[in-house]
Each structure stands twice: as C-alpha cells, then as structure tokens.
C-alpha cells in the first residue's frame, strides 16, 4: 500500500512520513489499515521486532486525533516513554501535540488534557485512574506497546487491569495492542474484541542458527564458517567475524558480572577495528560516563567504551544506559554485552545477536533453568536494522553436537509460549482490588467480581471459582487492615450476626453467605490514601503498624529499615557470611527497629529482617554523606542500584508521611526529616542548605565547614569565603542568586580560605550543576544522580 493511499490523517501527516523516507507501508502495516486501524477499529498486531509496529500505532492515533479524539500510548518502561515522546513530537509540525508522564503517582497531570497524544507507563496510567484524572474519559484510542508483558508476574497485572478499566471508562474506545509474535495472539484479540494481524514478516531477513565448533549452522540449511582461533571464546570469534564486514553485535549473558567480564574481553576485539575519529568520539563518551559517577562500575564501563565495547544492565545509572544505547544506535560502539533486560527495552538493533547464555538461575527451581522461548526470540529479534544492515543474524552457542540439536529444537524451531495472566496472584490482586473499590469501579462484591470477569485472567481461567475465592481472601485482608468496610444489605457489617449467642444452623449459614454476596464495599479514608499513594496495601499495613508501635521518636535507621521491609522495596539480599555481620548490627540497634521483631529461630522471617536491615543501613550510610564509590563497593552494587534504592526509599517515606498524618501519628516530622535526608543524602544539619538551588550534598558540606549553615548565611556571608568553599565563580554566583542575594556577582572577588575538596565527597560538581540548570516536567521523579 502506497503512503498516498492513506486517508483520514491530519493534513501534513503524509508529507511528514514521506520526509522520513516512508513511501510504502510494510505488509503488516497495510494489513492493519485494512483491518480498520485508521477507522477506529480495535486490533492486535503480533509481528516481529523491527517490522513496523510503531507505524501501526501512529496511524491509529493520528486518525483518532483527526476525528477529534485523544490518544494514549502505554509503554512498559520509562526509557521507552522518552524514546516515543521524541518520535511523536515531530508531529507538532502539522499541529498534533504530545505529552509524556511517567512519575509522581499522586499527580493527575491535568496539563495533559490539552495534548493530543499522551505517552505514559502502565503504572502511571493506573495511578491516573486511581486519582481520577478527568481527561481519561476523553480518550478515543489507546495503544498498548509490548502487550505480551501481561505475562510478567510483576508488571503484567497492572497493564491488564489498566486496559480493563480504560475500556470500561470508554466503551467505544479503540484499543490497539502491539506485541511480539506469541503463541496465543488470537486469545488476546478475543479478550480485547479486536481484529488480529499475526505475521512473521520482517523487512530484512533474519537467519537464526547455532554456532558449534567452527561452523555457524542456520535454520535455512546454510552454513557459515566462523573459526575460533586458539584460546578465543566463541562469542569473541563471532564478534570479530561480523565487525570485519562492518556490522555490530549484541551479546546476551545471564548476569551482571558476566556482562562486565564479556565486555572487557570483547573490547580487545572491537578496539582493533576502530578508526581514529571513532577513538576520539569514544574517548569523549568515556569521559561523560566517568563524570556521571565515580564508582568502580562507571570506571570499568568507561574503560570498555574507550575500546568500542560496553556492558548494559540494571546496575548502571539511567544516564549511563542512555549514553550506551545512543552510541550503539549510532554505531560508534561496536558491541554490547547485556543481561536480558535490554531485549525488552529500547530500540537497540545489531547485525548479529549472540545469545551466549540460554539458562539463568531460578530460585524457585533451585538452580539454572532454560529461558522461555518468547524471551529468547525477543533477544533474537534485535538482529538487523532496515537501512543499515543487509540482513540480521541471531546465534545461540553450543558446546557439543547434542547441545546444538537441542538448541534448534528448543528455540530455533519452537513457537513462543502463550501469554498467561498473572492477576490471580494475591500480591497483585490485593493492590488492584483496593484500587478498584477506592476509585468507584466497584461498590459491591458482585460488582467487583463483574469487573474482574472483564480481565484476561477470567477469560483464561479453567478452575471454577478460583477468582472468587482469591478475591474473598483479599477482601478479608483489606478489611482486617482497615482499608475497606463491608456491609451486607440491611445495614449489617461483615462478620456480625443477628444474635451473637445463638446457634447457627446450616440453613442460617447458607442464608448469611447468600447475604454476604450482596454486600457493599467502600474504601475507608486510610484505604483511599493507600490507593492514591500507589502503595501495595501490604506495604501500607507494614508502615502503619510500625509507626503505631513506636514508643519513642523513630530514628532514621528505624524508618529506613521499616520501608525496606515492604513489598514495594526490592531489598538487598544477604551474601555469604553477612547474616553474622548484620545479626550483630541487629543486636546493637534492635531498640531502633519498628514493628514486631522476629525471633532468630524463625529463620526465614529473621533472614528477611536482616536483609531489610542491610538495605536500611545502606540508606543510612547514604544519608550520612558517605560517597557513592565507597557505598557501591561496600554493598557490592552498581550506581543504578544505589540510585534505585534511594528513589524508592524517598517515595516510600513520602507515602509514610501521608500515612502518618492519616492515622494522626505523632511521628510525622520524624518521617519527613528521614525522607529529606535520604532525598539529598545529607545529615540533618544540612537540610536547609540543600534547599537552595545548585547546592547538593558535597557543596552543602563545603559551605557548612566554613560557617555557612543556612540560606540566610549565603545572603550575608563574605563572598570570598563562599568562593573559597565552592571553587567556581559561575557556581558561586548561581548559588548566591538562588539564595536571594541582592548582588550575586563575583567580579573581582578573591577566594578566602576553604578547600573545595573538604568534607565528604558526594556527587560530582558537574552533576550538581546539571541539576541546577535542568528543568524537568512537573510529574518527573528526581534521581540520586541529580544530587
């Protein structure tokens, strides 16, 4: 189908696509148009990576806007939100506006009401529904990217329930679900009342194969000789081979440590293929990475990058991940070794994808388990970029002939697994049941069950009564913790009887059970707060109970350990020998810990308690101004892990402050101070100073050491003393201006005393300056890198 044949799009849209080099639609895109994508009809597009799914979304959304509607594009990751926003912002040249919202779960982001296309994560959309964002009822088109992630145990239920709620809010809404090729795309289409576009077409050929010995054997029967020289690893031979013809490589491994080790080795291969200009560009990129963080991980990454290689995993900061991804897309970086998280992430195609590790540790299996077919196919789908690569190759590595045959059977010839709902797992259900009641989607037990019947889980369930039983268990939990109230018809609350002392016959019990089925459900004030804060109810219960049991003012460590015990915090695990180390810390500071302390004879509970204590101690160390490098080394984590823990703790402590106010706790101020300390990474005495724009943890300490203890001091202190502490004229002027000094100019001022290196180092000056100069949208979440 020629692009000129499209109709129903805003004026200028076709010219825009033509300027992007699009003259003709790919077959899956044409099939989607024929199925009604531009006419407002719902559809599921199950097509391979790089086969034009985003264009299907764009045509659907733009046609909806042209009809006077509003479109929402749901992504699984924040990084994808940024990528799609940048892509859709180009539509502004023909009058279609775009907004993005990903953080601040208490915000309704009403500013988005004026936007034509909104990009958001599924978690953010869920929070918008909970908080009653009015503009959601104006949606006429919703696109769900990577809808197969409904199968994910952690994020899947949120996407599933969010789609069900949006469809209930807007019965006539067009739903467009984009997916990799899955085993039951027809089932998803039936659930969404949508047409199905299911194809394995790709714009360039993808050959999948297995490397064994010196041969690469493909699924089409062809063979390519790739000899392994001397002590060389298989992946190194494959990277060298494709680099010599000008292609790039992605190598998937099963752990962070393996990703880092592989990048170091593969850098020796890629460095031999670099031009002088490329070496210069990589040196600049490496310096940017070092400036972002002074941790060992950052130094290792920068060293690899200088040689044309990189590693990619969740332990990197978001800035580092973005730098690596952009440089790889630009083909400045030649090879990335990555954990599987990259396969579900942003657009990072390579000519050759190497799946080195097809097993990973599975705690539930007690050892190494094979990856799912869908996950491996997601990795393989990264091979080949139209316009840059003549083909794509996806390669598994075998150590023996038998293993080679096994890999062909297990992955090359196999169909991906079916997507299965994970909604009935109690942790997910308790969160979404409370939100469904609090947001008014269900006001009775019958209404709640009716809503849940509209989910994918209900359409897939083969066990009669399971959803009802699990729902009743969740309702009992929510009621016990004062999140909801239940009342049967006639004004009787759940659990009451007409005559407490009377014998209950079987017939009476049956009547009571029938009456219970007609009970009304209402969120309490506490329940509304929990739902609005986007907390797991079990996290809220843990925090509330901890605060209620505190006899004395909670310490920072006590509060940090408390939020680290919640399901919303991924606590650090105990390494070998650390149970003794943190056991000693536990006995030293037991009086500070909040809630019901387990006995050391309750092995599982006690170990979880110590793991939460380890996480809380990390946060306390950060809030005591220990530097990033020392912390990442001490706790054996990456800079991204540290920043993630700090971000999560800041959010949970902000929620704890709201909960403390809700239950009239006397410890609200203590929680607020603990949150501010972890947000800025400073001692209590520096909290006022870090409120000044441009003053982070390092600069605050430097100023404090020369007697400047609060913002008022910056308005009256000797300028030479300020300059001596900060060692930077522009920085000093910026900070004095932000503090409200009438004349912030440093012209002619000489530094007096001070030492810019004094105090405890935190983040770099470059990072703090970036924070002062940058401005984020009103719903963004700050990260540790800002400080």
């Amino acid at each position: 189908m020629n692009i000129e044949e499209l109709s129903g799009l805003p004026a200028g849209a076709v010219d825009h696509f033509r300027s992007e080099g699009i003259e003709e639609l790919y077959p899956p895109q044409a099939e989607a148009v024929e199925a009604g994508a531009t006419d407002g009809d719902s559809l599921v597009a199950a097509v391979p990576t790089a086969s034009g799914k985003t264009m299907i979304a764009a045509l659907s959304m733009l046609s909806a806007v042209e009809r006077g509607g509003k479109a929402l594009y749901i992504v699984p990751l924040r990084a994808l939100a940024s990528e799609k926003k940048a892509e859709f912002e180009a539509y502004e040249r023909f009058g279609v506006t775009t907004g993005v919202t990903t953080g601040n779960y208490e915000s309704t982001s009403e500013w988005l009401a004026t936007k034509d296309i909104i990009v958001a994560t599924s978690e953010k959309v869920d929070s918008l529904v909970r908080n009653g964002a009015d503009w959601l009822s104006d949606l006429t088109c919703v696109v769900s990217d990577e809808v197969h992630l409904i199968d994910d145990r952690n994020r899947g239920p949120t996407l599933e329930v969010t789609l069900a709620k949006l469809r209930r809010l807007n019965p006539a809404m067009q739903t467009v679900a984009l997916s990799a090729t899955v085993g039951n795309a027809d089932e998803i289409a039936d659930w969404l009342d949508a047409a199905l576009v299911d194809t394995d077409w790709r714009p360039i050929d993808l050959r999948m194969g297995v490397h064994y010995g010196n041969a690469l054997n493909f699924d089409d029967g062809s063979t390519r000789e790739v000899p392994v020289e001397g002590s060389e690893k298989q992946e190194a031979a494959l990277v060298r081979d494709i680099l010599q013809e000008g292609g790039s490589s992605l190598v998937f491994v099963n752990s962070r440590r393996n990703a880092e080790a592989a990048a170091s080795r593969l850098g020796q291969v890629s460095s031999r293929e670099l031009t002088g200009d490329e070496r210069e560009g990589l040196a600049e990129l490496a310096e940017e990475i070092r400036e972002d963080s002074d941790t060992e991980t950052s130094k290792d990454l920068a060293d690899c990058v200088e040689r044309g290689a990189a590693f990619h995993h969740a332990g990197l900061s978001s800035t580092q991940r973005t730098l690596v991804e952009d440089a790889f897309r630009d083909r400045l970086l030649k090879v990335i070794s990555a954990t599987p998280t990259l396969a579900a992430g942003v657009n990072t195609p390579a000519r050759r994808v190497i799946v080195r590790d097809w097993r990973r540790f599975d705690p539930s299996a007690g050892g190494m388990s094979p990856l799912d077919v869908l996950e491996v196919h997601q990795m393989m789908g990264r091979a080949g970029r139209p316009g840059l690569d003549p083909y794509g190759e996806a390669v598994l590595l075998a150590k023996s002939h038998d293993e080679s045959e096994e890999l062909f059977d297990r992955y090359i010839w196999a169909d991906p697994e079916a997507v299965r709902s994970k909604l009935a797992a109690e942790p997910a259900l308790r969160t979404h049941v409370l939100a469904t009641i609090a947001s008014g989607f269900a006001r009775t037990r019958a209404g709640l069950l009716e809503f849940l019947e509209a989910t994918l889980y209900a359409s897939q369930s083969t066990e009669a009564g399971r959803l009802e039983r699990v729902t009743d268990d969740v309702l009992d939990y929510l009621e016990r913790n004062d999140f909801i109230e239940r009342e049967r018809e006639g004004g009787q609350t759940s659990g009451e009887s007409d005559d407490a002392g009377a014998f209950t016959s079987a017939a009476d019990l049956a009547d009571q059970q029938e009456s219970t089925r007609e009970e009304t459900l209402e969120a309490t004030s506490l329940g509304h707060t929990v739902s609005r804060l986007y907390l797991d109810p079990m996290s809220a219960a843990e925090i509330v109970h901890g605060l209620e049991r505190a006899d004395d003012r909670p310490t920072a460590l006590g509060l940090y350990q408390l939020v680290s015990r919640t399901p919303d915090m991924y606590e650090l695990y105990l390494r070998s020998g650390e149970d003794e180390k943190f056991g000693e810390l536990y006995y030293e500071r037991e009086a500070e810990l909040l809630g019901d302390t387990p006995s050391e004879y309750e092995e599982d509970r006690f170990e979880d308690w110590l793991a939460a204590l380890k996480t809380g101690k990390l946060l306390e160390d950060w809030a005591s101004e220990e530097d990033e490098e020392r912390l990442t080394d001490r706790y054996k984590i990456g800079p991204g892990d540290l920043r993630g823990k700090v971000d999560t703790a800041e959010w949970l402590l902000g929620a704890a402050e709201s909960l403390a106010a809700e239950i009239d706790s006397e410890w609200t101020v203590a929680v607020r101070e603990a949150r501010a300390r972890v947000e800025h990474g400073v001692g209590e005495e520096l909290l006022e100073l870090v409120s000044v724009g441009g003053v982070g943890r390092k600069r605050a300490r430097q100023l404090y050491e020369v007697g400047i203890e609060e913002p008022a001091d910056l308005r009256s202190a000797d300028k030479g003393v300020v300059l001596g502490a900060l060692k930077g004229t522009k920085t000093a002027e910026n900070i004095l201006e932000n503090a409200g000094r009438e004349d912030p100019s440093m012209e002619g001022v000489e530094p007096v005393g001070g030492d810019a290196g004094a105090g405890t180092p935190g983040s770099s000056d470059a990072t703090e300056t970036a924070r002062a100069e940058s401005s984020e949208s009103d719903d963004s979440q700050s990260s540790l890198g800002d400080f």
Side-chain angles (χ1 to χ4, degrees):
M1 178 182 289
N2 192 288
I3 194 84
E4 301 289 348
E5 299 176 51
L6 291 172
S7 60
L9 300 178
V14 170
D15 288 341
H16 165 72
F17 290 128
R18 194 187 299 109
S19 72
E20 296 287 310
I22 301 172
E23 297 288 346
E24 192 170 339
L25 295 183
Y26 289 158
Q29 296 165 346
E31 191 177 340
V33 171
E34 290 164 3
T38 55
D39 298 322
D41 296 333
S42 295
L43 70 125
V44 171
V47 297
T49 301
S51 298
K53 291 195 290 286
T54 301
M55 184 64 171
I56 294 173
L59 295 175
S60 302
M61 294 190 298
L62 290 173
S63 61
V65 171
E66 178 64 9
R67 292 191 298 272
K70 180 187 289 288
L72 173 66
Y73 192 99
I74 302 176
V75 294
L77 302 170
R78 289 189 185 192
L80 271 174
S82 300
E83 185 178 297
K84 295 305 177 186
K85 175 178 180 281
E87 186 173 339
F88 299 151
E89 277 181 335
Y91 303 160
E92 292 188 9
R93 69 185 63 169
F94 53 86
V96 176
T97 58
T98 299
V100 63
T101 179
T102 57
N104 191 352
Y105 291 140
E106 295 180 68
S107 165
T108 57
S109 301
E110 288 301 330
W111 62 277
L112 292 169
T114 62
K115 302 297 183 181
D116 298 314
I117 296 175
I118 295 106
V119 183
T121 59
S122 54
E123 289 81 8
K124 178 59 183 180
V125 179
D126 184 25
S127 76
L128 290 168
V129 174
R130 297 184 189 201
N131 286 281
D134 292 336
W135 57 267
L136 288 175
S137 59
D138 298 330
L139 292 174
T140 57
C141 175
V142 168
V143 177
S144 178
D145 198 2
E146 310 283 359
V147 75
H148 53 274
L149 291 177
I150 280 178
D151 194 78
D152 184 90
R153 186 168 298 277
N154 296 315
R155 313 190 80 168
T158 296
L159 176 57
E160 180 180 348
V161 169
T162 297
L163 287 174
K165 287 181 177 178
L166 291 176
R167 294 180 70 214
R168 183 159 175 171
L169 272 175
N170 308 287
M173 181 183 75
Q174 176 187 22
T175 303
V176 178
L178 310 177
S179 172
T181 304
V182 296
N184 62 335
D186 54 340
E187 230 179 290
I188 298 173
D190 288 344
W191 169 53
L192 295 174
D193 300 316
L196 175 63
V197 175
D198 191 1
T199 177
D200 58 3
W201 183 91
R202 283 176 53 98
I204 60 173
D205 289 338
L206 171 65
R207 296 190 296 172
M208 297 190 292
V210 176
H211 184 267
Y212 165 59
N214 292 323
L216 179 48
N217 299 302
F218 291 106
D219 52 350
D220 61 3
S222 64
T223 298
R224 175 171 178 159
E225 185 178 3
V226 183
V228 179
E229 299 175 353
S231 60
E232 191 177 40
K233 301 275 189 184
Q234 282 176 282
E235 61 268 26
L238 288 160
V239 167
R240 171 176 47 78
D241 174 69
I242 209 72
L243 273 175
Q244 288 172 351
E245 66 169 53
S248 59
S249 302
L250 268 176
V251 181
F252 285 104
V253 298
N254 59 12
S255 72
R256 297 182 185 185
R257 182 178 298 177
N258 284 339
E260 294 177 12
S264 180
R265 288 194 303 270
L266 294 172
Q268 300 171 27
V269 178
S270 57
S271 64
R272 297 195 291 265
E273 305 297 328
L274 299 174
T275 66
D277 287 345
E278 286 174 336
R279 290 183 190 279
E280 192 173 312
L282 289 167
E284 292 175 2
L285 177 62
E287 191 55 35
E288 284 189 75
I289 290 169
R290 292 188 180 102
E291 287 180 359
D292 176 68
S293 169
D294 57 5
T295 63
E296 194 66 32
T297 300
S298 301
K299 294 171 186 174
D300 291 344
L301 177 60
D303 290 345
C304 290
V305 163
E306 286 181 322
R307 300 194 299 272
F311 51 85
H312 188 291
H313 56 58
L316 300 183
S317 71
S318 58
T319 299
Q320 291 168 351
R321 290 197 297 269
T322 299
L323 288 171
V324 167
E325 291 158 7
D326 289 346
F328 188 70
R329 277 193 289 266
D330 294 338
R331 298 292 165 101
L332 180 60
L333 281 171
K334 306 303 180 185
V335 57
I336 293 178
S337 59
T339 52
T341 51
L342 184 61
V346 292
N347 179 29
T348 49
R351 185 170 301 178
R352 178 174 284 166
V353 168
I354 302 162
V355 183
R356 194 194 78 177
D357 300 335
W358 52 276
R359 296 186 184 92
R360 70 162 158 243
F361 182 74
D362 181 356
S364 63
M368 304 297 285
S369 293
L371 300 177
D372 289 341
V373 177
L374 178 59
E375 190 170 1
V376 171
H377 281 197
Q378 279 284 93
M379 298 178 202
M380 291 178 151
R382 296 285 170 192
R385 183 200 288 184
L388 278 180
D389 297 314
Y391 60 88
E393 287 183 355
V395 185
L396 290 148
L397 307 186
K399 303 297 184 187
S400 67
H401 177 73
D402 288 346
E403 186 177 41
S404 176
E405 291 190 343
E406 178 188 356
L407 291 175
F408 267 99
D409 291 338
R410 182 183 289 277
Y411 294 115
I412 306 295
W413 308 127
D415 292 324
E417 297 84 1
V419 169
R420 307 296 301 178
S421 168
K422 302 298 188 292
L423 180 60
E426 192 168 316
L429 201 59
R430 66 176 175 249
T431 297
H432 293 294
V433 164
L434 176 59
T436 301
I437 296 169
S439 57
F441 272 87
R443 302 185 186 280
T444 65
R445 176 181 177 278
L448 175 63
L449 290 170
E450 181 186 0
F451 169 74
L452 292 174
E453 284 296 327
T455 62
L456 178 63
Y457 174 79
S459 70
Q460 290 182 330
S461 179
T462 57
E463 184 182 342
R466 170 169 166 74
L467 184 59
E468 188 172 352
R469 289 194 303 274
V470 177
T471 301
D472 283 334
D473 288 343
V474 168
L475 289 174
D476 289 341
Y477 175 83
L478 295 175
E479 185 181 29
R480 284 197 309 273
N481 287 280
D482 299 321
F483 298 139
I484 65 167
E485 291 177 345
R486 303 156 76 181
E487 186 174 309
R488 293 199 297 270
E489 287 184 349
Q492 189 174 332
T493 59
S494 179
E496 292 179 349
S497 65
D498 296 323
D499 182 355
F503 173 77
T504 305
S505 68
D508 289 338
L509 184 60
D511 288 342
Q512 287 181 20
Q513 291 172 338
E514 181 63 32
S515 176
T516 301
R517 291 192 183 94
E518 301 304 319
E519 68 191 5
T520 60
L521 306 172
E522 185 175 352
T524 62
S525 178
L526 179 60
H528 276 288
T529 298
V530 172
S531 179
R532 175 177 56 80
L533 293 170
Y534 208 72
L535 282 174
D536 182 328
M538 187 172 283
S539 294
E542 189 77 33
I543 291 169
V544 167
H545 295 159
L547 292 175
E548 288 177 336
R549 288 168 170 77
D551 295 324
D552 300 315
R553 191 182 198 273
T555 65
L557 177 66
L559 290 166
Y560 297 154
Q561 198 260 358
L562 174 62
V563 298
S564 295
R565 298 202 308 262
T566 67
D568 282 306
M569 172 70 85
Y570 290 98
E571 62 191 25
L572 300 173
Y573 68 90
L574 294 176
R575 296 177 178 273
S576 177
E578 287 190 334
D579 52 346
E580 182 177 344
K581 173 184 175 181
F582 287 99
E584 290 176 3
L585 181 65
Y586 162 72
Y587 289 116
E588 286 172 15
R589 304 185 67 176
E590 181 179 3
E592 297 180 52
L593 306 183
L594 306 173
D596 297 325
T597 305
S599 163
E600 61 182 297
Y601 298 107
E602 301 174 80
E603 289 187 12
D604 289 343
R605 272 196 74 207
F606 191 67
E607 185 170 326
D608 286 343
W609 194 268
L610 292 184
L613 178 58
K614 177 182 177 181
T615 310
K617 187 67 174 76
L618 166 67
L619 295 169
E620 184 190 48
D621 290 348
W622 164 252
S624 300
E625 300 171 56
E626 295 230 29
D627 72 30
E628 195 174 351
E629 181 177 14
R630 194 172 301 146
L631 290 177
T632 54
D633 180 63
R634 179 183 302 158
Y635 290 93
K636 308 302 180 191
I637 57 175
D641 299 308
L642 175 57
R643 297 176 191 198
K645 293 288 182 291
V646 168
D647 282 348
T648 303
E650 182 191 345
W651 163 57
L652 287 171
L653 287 162
E657 185 180 344
S658 297
L659 292 172
E662 180 67 41
I663 63 174
D664 294 323
S665 170
E666 60 185 305
W667 310 127
T668 305
V669 173
V671 176
R672 184 181 306 136
E673 288 180 358
R675 184 202 60 76
R677 285 189 60 197
V678 84
E679 175 188 357
H680 296 289
V682 296
E684 191 174 330
E685 71 275 15
L686 298 185
L687 286 176
E688 288 192 58
L689 273 178
V690 292
S691 68
V692 177
V695 178
R697 64 199 309 244
K698 180 179 178 181
R699 290 176 181 155
R701 179 55 63 188
Q702 290 166 187
L703 290 167
Y704 192 87
E705 293 293 330
V706 297
I708 299 172
E709 300 181 0
E710 56 187 30
D713 294 339
L714 285 167
R715 294 191 287 272
S716 59
D718 184 288
K719 288 183 178 180
V721 173
V722 176
L723 185 58
L726 297 176
K727 295 291 187 187
T729 300
K730 288 186 178 180
T731 298
E733 288 178 343
N734 177 57
I735 287 172
L736 290 183
E737 183 177 356
N738 291 337
R741 187 145 181 165
E742 286 188 14
D743 177 21
S745 173
M746 284 286 172
E747 186 176 353
V749 176
E750 293 295 326
V752 175
D755 180 358
T760 304
S763 55
S764 68
D765 283 352
T767 302
E768 295 192 47
T769 301
R771 181 194 179 204
E773 294 175 351
S774 68
S775 65
E776 297 288 336
S777 63
D778 64 350
D779 68 332
S780 67
Q781 286 188 330
S782 53
S783 71
L784 180 138
D786 295 329
F787 309 115

